[in-house]
Coordinates of all heavy atoms in Angstrom, one line a residue:
G5 N 104.8 114.2 93.6 CA 104.3 113.2 94.6 C 102.7 113.1 94.5 O 102.1 114.1 94.0
D6 N 102.2 112.0 95.0 CA 100.7 112.0 95.1 C 100.2 113.0 96.1 O 100.9 113.3 97.1 CB 100.4 110.6 95.7 CG 99.0 110.2 95.5 OD1 98.1 111.1 96.1 OD2 98.6 109.3 95.0
A7 N 99.1 113.6 95.8 CA 98.6 114.7 96.8 C 98.4 114.1 98.1 O 98.5 115.0 99.1 CB 97.4 115.3 96.2
S8 N 98.2 112.8 98.2 CA 97.8 112.3 99.5 C 99.1 111.8 100.3 O 99.0 111.1 101.3 CB 96.9 111.1 99.4 OG 97.5 110.1 98.6
E9 N 100.4 111.9 99.7 CA 101.5 111.4 100.2 C 101.8 112.0 101.6 O 101.6 113.1 101.8 CB 102.7 111.7 99.2 CG 103.6 110.6 99.2 CD 104.7 110.9 98.0 OE1 105.7 111.6 98.3 OE2 104.5 110.3 96.9
A10 N 102.3 111.1 102.5 CA 102.6 111.6 103.8 C 103.8 112.5 103.8 O 104.7 112.6 102.8 CB 103.1 110.4 104.6
P11 N 103.7 113.6 104.6 CA 104.8 114.5 104.8 C 106.1 113.9 105.1 O 106.2 113.0 105.9 CB 104.3 115.6 105.7 CG 103.4 114.9 106.6 CD 102.7 113.8 105.7
R12 N 107.3 114.5 104.5 CA 108.5 114.1 104.9 C 109.3 115.2 105.6 O 108.8 116.3 105.7 CB 109.3 114.0 103.5 CG 108.9 112.8 102.7 CD 109.4 111.4 103.2 NE 108.9 110.4 102.5 CZ 109.2 109.1 102.7 NH1 110.1 108.7 103.6 NH2 108.6 108.1 102.0
P13 N 110.2 114.9 106.4 CA 110.9 115.8 107.3 C 111.5 117.0 106.3 O 111.9 116.7 105.2 CB 112.1 115.1 107.8 CG 111.7 113.6 107.9 CD 110.8 113.4 106.6
A14 N 111.4 118.2 107.0 CA 112.0 119.4 106.4 C 113.3 119.3 106.1 O 114.1 118.6 106.8 CB 111.7 120.7 107.1
H15 N 113.9 119.9 105.0 CA 115.2 119.9 104.6 C 115.9 121.2 105.0 O 115.4 122.3 105.0 CB 115.5 119.8 103.2 CG 115.1 118.3 102.6 ND1 115.8 117.2 102.9 CD2 114.0 118.0 101.9 CE1 115.2 116.1 102.4 NE2 114.2 116.7 101.6
G16 N 117.3 121.1 105.3 CA 118.1 122.3 105.4 C 117.7 123.5 106.3 O 117.4 123.2 107.4
L17 N 117.8 124.7 105.8 CA 117.5 125.7 106.7 C 118.3 125.9 107.9 O 117.8 126.2 109.0 CB 115.9 125.7 107.0 CG 114.9 125.7 105.9 CD1 113.5 125.6 106.3 CD2 115.2 127.0 105.0
T18 N 119.5 125.6 107.8 CA 120.4 125.7 109.0 C 120.8 127.4 109.2 O 120.8 127.9 108.2 CB 121.7 124.9 108.7 OG1 122.4 125.5 107.7 CG2 121.5 123.5 108.6
S19 N 121.2 127.6 110.4 CA 121.6 128.9 110.6 C 123.1 129.0 110.2 O 123.8 127.9 110.2 CB 121.5 129.3 112.0 OG 122.2 128.7 112.9
A20 N 123.7 130.2 110.0 CA 125.1 130.4 109.7 C 126.0 129.8 110.7 O 127.0 129.3 110.4 CB 125.3 131.9 109.6
A21 N 125.6 129.9 112.1 CA 126.3 129.3 113.2 C 126.4 127.8 113.1 O 127.4 127.2 113.6 CB 125.8 129.7 114.4
D22 N 125.4 127.1 112.4 CA 125.4 125.7 112.5 C 126.0 125.1 111.2 O 126.3 123.9 111.1 CB 123.9 125.3 112.5 CG 123.2 125.5 113.7 OD1 124.0 125.5 114.7 OD2 122.0 125.7 113.9
E23 N 126.4 125.9 110.3 CA 126.8 125.4 109.0 C 128.3 124.8 109.1 O 129.1 125.2 109.9 CB 127.0 126.7 107.9 CG 125.7 127.2 107.5 CD 125.8 128.3 106.6 OE1 127.0 128.6 106.1 OE2 124.8 128.9 106.2
M24 N 128.5 123.7 108.4 CA 129.8 123.2 108.3 C 130.4 123.5 106.9 O 129.6 124.1 106.0 CB 129.5 121.6 108.3 CG 128.9 121.1 109.7 SD 128.8 119.3 109.7 CE 130.4 118.8 110.0
D25 N 131.6 123.2 106.7 CA 132.1 123.3 105.3 C 132.4 121.9 104.8 O 132.3 120.9 105.5 CB 133.4 124.2 105.3 CG 134.6 123.8 106.2 OD1 134.7 122.5 106.3 OD2 135.3 124.5 106.7
A26 N 132.8 121.9 103.5 CA 133.0 120.5 102.9 C 134.1 119.7 103.5 O 133.8 118.5 103.7 CB 133.3 120.7 101.3
H27 N 135.2 120.4 104.0 CA 136.3 119.6 104.5 C 135.7 119.0 105.9 O 136.0 117.9 106.2 CB 137.4 120.6 104.9 CG 138.4 120.0 105.6 ND1 139.4 119.1 105.1 CD2 138.8 120.0 107.0 CE1 140.3 118.7 106.0 NE2 140.0 119.3 107.2
E28 N 134.9 119.7 106.6 CA 134.4 119.2 107.9 C 133.5 118.1 107.7 O 133.5 117.0 108.4 CB 133.7 120.3 108.7 CG 134.6 121.4 109.3 CD 133.9 122.5 109.8 OE1 132.8 123.0 109.4 OE2 134.5 123.0 110.8
V29 N 132.7 118.1 106.7 CA 131.7 117.0 106.3 C 132.5 115.9 105.9 O 132.3 114.7 106.3 CB 130.7 117.4 105.2 CG1 130.0 116.3 104.7 CG2 129.7 118.5 105.8
R30 N 133.6 115.9 105.1 CA 134.3 114.8 104.5 C 135.0 114.2 105.7 O 135.1 113.0 105.9 CB 135.3 115.2 103.6 CG 134.7 115.7 102.3 CD 135.8 116.0 101.2 NE 135.3 116.6 100.1 CZ 135.5 118.0 99.9 NH1 136.1 118.7 100.6 NH2 135.0 118.6 98.8
A31 N 135.5 114.9 106.7 CA 136.2 114.4 107.9 C 135.2 113.6 108.7 O 135.6 112.6 109.2 CB 136.8 115.5 108.7
A32 N 134.1 114.2 109.0 CA 132.9 113.5 109.8 C 132.5 112.2 109.1 O 132.4 111.2 109.8 CB 131.8 114.5 109.9
L33 N 132.3 112.2 107.8 CA 132.0 110.9 107.1 C 133.0 109.9 107.3 O 132.9 108.8 107.4 CB 131.6 111.3 105.7 CG 130.4 112.1 105.4 CD1 130.2 112.3 104.0 CD2 129.2 111.4 106.1
R34 N 134.4 110.4 107.0 CA 135.4 109.4 107.2 C 135.5 108.9 108.6 O 135.9 107.6 108.9 CB 136.7 110.2 106.8 CG 137.9 109.2 106.6 CD 139.2 110.1 106.2 NE 139.0 110.8 105.0 CZ 139.1 112.1 104.8 NH1 139.3 112.8 106.0 NH2 138.8 112.8 103.7
G35 N 135.3 109.7 109.7 CA 135.4 109.3 111.0 C 134.3 108.1 111.3 O 134.5 107.2 112.0
R36 N 133.0 108.2 110.7 CA 132.0 107.3 110.9 C 132.2 106.1 110.0 O 132.0 104.9 110.6 CB 130.7 108.0 110.6 CG 129.5 107.1 110.5 CD 129.0 106.5 111.8 NE 128.2 105.3 111.7 CZ 126.8 105.2 111.5 NH1 126.3 106.5 111.3 NH2 126.2 104.3 111.3
F37 N 132.6 106.3 108.9 CA 132.4 105.1 107.8 C 133.8 104.6 107.4 O 133.8 103.7 106.6 CB 131.6 105.5 106.6 CG 130.2 105.9 107.0 CD1 129.6 107.2 107.0 CD2 129.2 104.9 107.4 CE1 128.3 107.4 107.4 CE2 128.0 105.0 107.7 CZ 127.4 106.4 107.7
G38 N 134.8 105.4 107.8 CA 136.1 105.0 107.2 C 136.5 105.6 105.8 O 135.6 106.5 105.3
R39 N 137.6 105.2 105.3 CA 138.1 106.0 104.1 C 137.3 105.4 102.8 O 137.5 105.9 101.7 CB 139.5 105.7 103.8 CG 140.4 106.5 104.9 CD 141.8 106.6 104.5 NE 142.4 107.5 105.5 CZ 142.5 108.8 105.3 NH1 141.9 109.4 104.1 NH2 143.1 109.5 106.2
G40 N 136.3 104.6 103.0 CA 135.4 104.1 101.9 C 134.7 105.4 101.4 O 134.3 105.3 100.2
T41 N 134.4 106.4 102.2 CA 133.8 107.5 101.7 C 134.6 108.3 100.7 O 134.0 108.9 99.7 CB 133.4 108.6 102.8 OG1 134.6 108.8 103.6 CG2 132.4 107.8 103.8
D42 N 136.0 108.2 100.8 CA 136.8 108.8 99.8 C 136.7 108.1 98.4 O 136.9 108.6 97.5 CB 138.4 108.8 100.4 CG 138.6 109.6 101.6 OD1 137.8 110.5 101.9 OD2 139.5 109.3 102.4
L43 N 136.5 106.8 98.6 CA 136.5 105.9 97.4 C 135.3 106.3 96.7 O 135.1 106.4 95.5 CB 136.4 104.5 97.7 CG 136.3 103.5 96.5 CD1 137.4 103.7 95.6 CD2 136.3 102.1 97.1
L44 N 134.1 106.5 97.4 CA 132.8 106.9 96.7 C 133.0 108.3 96.0 O 132.5 108.4 94.9 CB 131.7 107.2 97.8 CG 131.3 105.8 98.5 CD1 130.1 106.1 99.5 CD2 130.7 104.8 97.5
Q45 N 133.7 109.2 96.5 CA 134.0 110.4 96.0 C 134.9 110.4 94.8 O 134.6 110.9 93.6 CB 134.5 111.4 97.0 CG 133.6 111.8 98.0 CD 134.1 112.7 99.2 OE1 134.2 113.8 99.0 NE2 134.4 111.9 100.3
A46 N 135.9 109.5 94.8 CA 136.9 109.4 93.8 C 136.1 108.7 92.5 O 136.5 108.9 91.3 CB 138.0 108.4 94.2
R47 N 135.1 107.9 92.8 CA 134.4 107.1 91.7 C 133.3 107.9 91.2 O 132.7 107.6 90.2 CB 133.9 105.7 92.3 CG 134.8 104.7 92.6 CD 134.3 103.6 93.4 NE 133.2 102.9 92.6 CZ 132.3 101.9 93.0 NH1 132.6 101.6 94.3 NH2 131.5 101.4 92.2
G48 N 133.0 109.1 91.7 CA 132.1 110.0 91.2 C 130.8 109.8 91.7 O 129.7 110.3 91.2
I49 N 130.6 108.8 92.7 CA 129.2 108.5 93.2 C 128.7 109.6 94.2 O 127.6 109.8 94.4 CB 129.4 107.1 93.9 CG1 129.6 106.1 92.9 CG2 128.0 106.8 94.8 CD1 129.9 104.7 93.5
L50 N 129.7 110.3 94.8 CA 129.4 111.3 95.9 C 130.3 112.6 95.6 O 131.4 112.4 95.3 CB 129.6 110.7 97.2 CG 129.5 111.7 98.5 CD1 128.1 111.9 98.6 CD2 130.1 111.0 99.7
R51 N 129.6 113.7 95.8 CA 130.3 115.0 95.7 C 129.9 115.7 96.9 O 128.7 115.9 97.2 CB 130.0 115.8 94.5 CG 130.5 115.1 93.2 CD 132.0 115.3 93.0 NE 132.6 114.9 91.7 CZ 133.1 113.7 91.5 NH1 133.3 112.9 92.6 NH2 133.5 113.4 90.4
V52 N 130.8 116.2 97.8 CA 130.5 116.9 99.0 C 130.9 118.5 98.7 O 132.2 118.6 98.3 CB 131.3 116.5 100.2 CG1 131.0 117.5 101.4 CG2 131.0 115.1 100.6
L53 N 130.0 119.3 98.6 CA 130.2 120.6 98.2 C 130.0 121.7 99.4 O 129.2 121.3 100.3 CB 129.3 121.1 97.1 CG 129.4 120.2 95.7 CD1 128.4 120.7 94.8 CD2 130.9 120.1 95.3
D54 N 130.6 122.8 99.4 CA 130.4 123.7 100.5 C 128.9 124.3 100.4 O 128.2 124.4 101.5 CB 131.3 125.1 100.3 CG 132.8 124.7 100.9 OD1 132.8 124.0 101.8 OD2 133.7 125.2 100.2
S55 N 128.4 124.6 99.2 CA 127.0 125.0 99.1 C 126.5 124.8 97.7 O 127.3 124.2 96.8 CB 127.0 126.5 99.4 OG 127.5 127.3 98.3
H56 N 125.3 125.1 97.5 CA 124.8 124.8 96.1 C 125.5 125.9 95.1 O 125.2 125.6 93.9 CB 123.1 125.2 96.1 CG 122.3 124.4 97.1 ND1 122.6 124.2 98.5 CD2 121.5 123.4 96.6 CE1 121.7 123.3 98.8 NE2 121.0 122.7 97.9
D57 N 126.0 126.8 95.5 CA 126.8 127.8 94.6 C 127.9 127.0 94.0 O 128.3 127.4 92.8 CB 127.3 128.9 95.3 CG 126.2 129.9 95.9 OD1 125.0 130.0 95.4 OD2 126.6 130.7 96.9
D58 N 128.2 125.8 94.4 CA 129.3 125.2 93.8 C 128.9 124.1 92.9 O 129.8 123.3 92.3 CB 130.3 124.4 94.9 CG 130.8 125.5 95.8 OD1 131.4 126.5 95.4 OD2 130.8 125.3 97.1
L59 N 127.5 123.9 92.6 CA 127.0 123.1 91.7 C 127.4 123.6 90.3 O 127.5 124.7 90.0 CB 125.5 123.0 91.8 CG 125.0 122.0 92.8 CD1 123.5 122.3 92.9 CD2 125.1 120.6 92.5
P60 N 127.6 122.5 89.3 CA 127.6 123.0 87.9 C 126.5 123.8 87.6 O 125.3 123.6 88.0 CB 127.6 121.6 87.3 CG 128.1 120.6 88.2 CD 127.7 121.0 89.6
E61 N 126.7 124.8 86.7 CA 125.6 125.7 86.4 C 124.3 125.1 86.0 O 123.2 125.5 86.3 CB 126.1 126.8 85.3 CG 125.3 128.1 85.3 CD 125.5 128.9 86.7 OE1 126.5 128.9 87.2 OE2 124.6 129.5 87.1
A62 N 124.4 124.1 85.2 CA 123.2 123.4 84.6 C 122.4 122.8 85.7 O 121.2 122.4 85.4 CB 123.7 122.3 83.6
L63 N 123.0 122.6 86.9 CA 122.2 121.9 88.0 C 121.6 122.7 89.0 O 120.9 122.3 89.8 CB 123.1 120.9 88.7 CG 123.7 119.7 87.8 CD1 124.5 118.9 88.8 CD2 122.5 118.8 87.1
K64 N 121.9 124.1 88.9 CA 121.5 125.0 89.9 C 119.9 125.3 90.0 O 119.4 125.4 91.1 CB 122.2 126.3 89.8 CG 123.6 126.2 90.2 CD 124.4 127.4 90.1 CE 125.8 127.3 90.5 NZ 126.7 128.5 90.4
G65 N 119.2 125.2 88.8 CA 118.0 125.3 88.8 C 117.3 126.5 89.5 O 117.9 127.6 89.5
D66 N 116.1 126.4 90.1 CA 115.5 127.5 90.9 C 116.2 127.7 92.2 O 116.8 126.8 92.8 CB 114.0 127.2 91.0 CG 113.6 126.0 91.8 OD1 114.0 126.0 92.9 OD2 112.9 125.2 91.3
G67 N 115.9 128.8 92.8 CA 116.6 129.2 94.2 C 116.1 128.3 95.2 O 116.8 128.2 96.2
N68 N 114.9 127.7 95.2 CA 114.6 126.8 96.3 C 115.5 125.6 96.6 O 115.4 125.1 97.6 CB 113.1 126.2 95.9 CG 112.2 127.3 96.0 OD1 112.3 128.3 96.7 ND2 111.0 127.1 95.2
R69 N 116.2 125.2 95.5 CA 117.1 124.0 95.7 C 118.2 124.3 96.7 O 118.8 123.4 97.3 CB 117.8 123.7 94.4 CG 118.5 122.4 94.3 CD 118.9 122.0 92.9 NE 117.7 121.6 92.3 CZ 117.6 121.3 90.9 NH1 118.8 121.3 90.2 NH2 116.5 121.1 90.3
R70 N 118.5 125.7 97.1 CA 119.6 125.9 97.9 C 119.2 125.5 99.3 O 120.2 125.5 100.2 CB 119.9 127.4 97.9 CG 118.8 128.3 98.3 CD 119.1 129.7 98.0 NE 118.0 130.7 98.2 CZ 117.7 131.1 99.3 NH1 118.5 131.1 100.3 NH2 116.7 131.9 99.4
F71 N 118.1 125.1 99.7 CA 117.7 124.7 100.9 C 117.7 123.1 101.1 O 117.5 122.7 102.4 CB 116.4 125.2 101.3 CG 116.2 126.8 101.5 CD1 115.4 127.4 100.6 CD2 117.0 127.4 102.4 CE1 115.3 128.8 100.7 CE2 117.1 128.9 102.4 CZ 116.1 129.5 101.6
D72 N 118.0 122.4 100.2 CA 118.2 121.0 100.3 C 119.4 120.6 100.8 O 120.5 121.1 100.6 CB 117.9 120.3 98.9 CG 116.5 120.3 98.5 OD1 115.5 120.6 99.5 OD2 116.1 120.1 97.3
K73 N 119.6 119.5 101.5 CA 120.7 118.9 102.0 C 121.5 118.3 101.0 O 122.7 118.2 101.1 CB 120.5 118.0 103.3 CG 120.0 118.6 104.5 CD 119.7 117.5 105.6 CE 119.1 118.1 106.8 NZ 120.0 119.0 107.6
A74 N 120.8 117.6 100.0 CA 121.4 116.9 98.9 C 120.5 116.9 97.7 O 119.2 117.0 97.9 CB 121.8 115.5 99.5
I75 N 121.2 116.7 96.6 CA 120.4 116.2 95.4 C 121.0 115.1 94.8 O 122.1 114.9 94.9 CB 120.1 117.3 94.5 CG1 121.5 117.8 93.9 CG2 119.4 118.6 95.1 CD1 121.5 118.7 92.7
F76 N 120.1 114.2 94.1 CA 120.6 113.2 93.3 C 120.4 113.4 91.9 O 119.2 113.8 91.5 CB 120.0 111.8 93.8 CG 120.3 110.6 92.8 CD1 121.5 110.0 93.0 CD2 119.4 110.2 91.9 CE1 121.9 108.9 92.3 CE2 119.8 109.2 91.1 CZ 121.0 108.5 91.2
V77 N 121.4 113.3 91.2 CA 121.3 113.5 89.7 C 121.5 112.2 89.0 O 122.6 111.5 89.1 CB 122.3 114.6 89.2 CG1 122.3 114.8 87.7 CG2 122.3 115.8 89.9
S78 N 120.5 111.8 88.2 CA 120.6 110.5 87.6 C 121.2 110.5 86.1 O 121.9 109.6 85.7 CB 119.3 109.9 87.4 OG 118.3 110.7 86.6
N79 N 121.2 111.7 85.5 CA 121.6 111.7 84.1 C 123.0 112.1 83.9 O 123.5 113.1 84.6 CB 120.6 112.7 83.4 CG 119.1 112.2 83.3 OD1 118.9 111.1 83.5 ND2 118.3 113.2 83.1
P80 N 123.6 111.6 83.0 CA 125.1 112.1 82.6 C 124.9 113.5 81.8 O 123.9 113.8 81.5 CB 125.4 111.1 81.5 CG 124.7 109.8 81.7 CD 123.4 110.4 82.1
P81 N 125.8 114.3 81.9 CA 127.2 114.1 82.4 C 127.4 114.3 83.8 O 128.6 114.0 84.3 CB 128.1 115.1 81.6 CG 127.3 116.2 81.5 CD 125.9 115.7 81.3

Side-chain angles (χ1 to χ4, degrees):
D6 190 309
S8 64
E9 217 171 83
R12 294 279 175 177
H15 292 291
L17 302 177
T18 62
S19 68
D22 292 331
E23 290 180 7
M24 301 178 74
D25 62 31
H27 175 76
E28 290 171 325
V29 169
R30 293 187 193 103
L33 294 177
R34 194 179 298 119
R36 165 75 196 277
F37 299 107
R39 292 197 171 272
T41 56
D42 296 334
L43 180 60
L44 293 181
Q45 293 173 81
R47 293 171 60 190
I49 293 170
L50 175 69
R51 294 279 185 264
V52 180
L53 306 178
D54 281 322
S55 74
H56 295 71
D57 293 338
D58 298 316
L59 278 169
E61 203 64 37
L63 299 181
K64 288 183 179 178
D66 61 61
N68 290 331
R69 187 168 298 174
R70 61 192 172 89
F71 295 120
D72 285 344
K73 291 181 184 292
I75 61 171
F76 174 74
V77 180
S78 59
N79 295 334

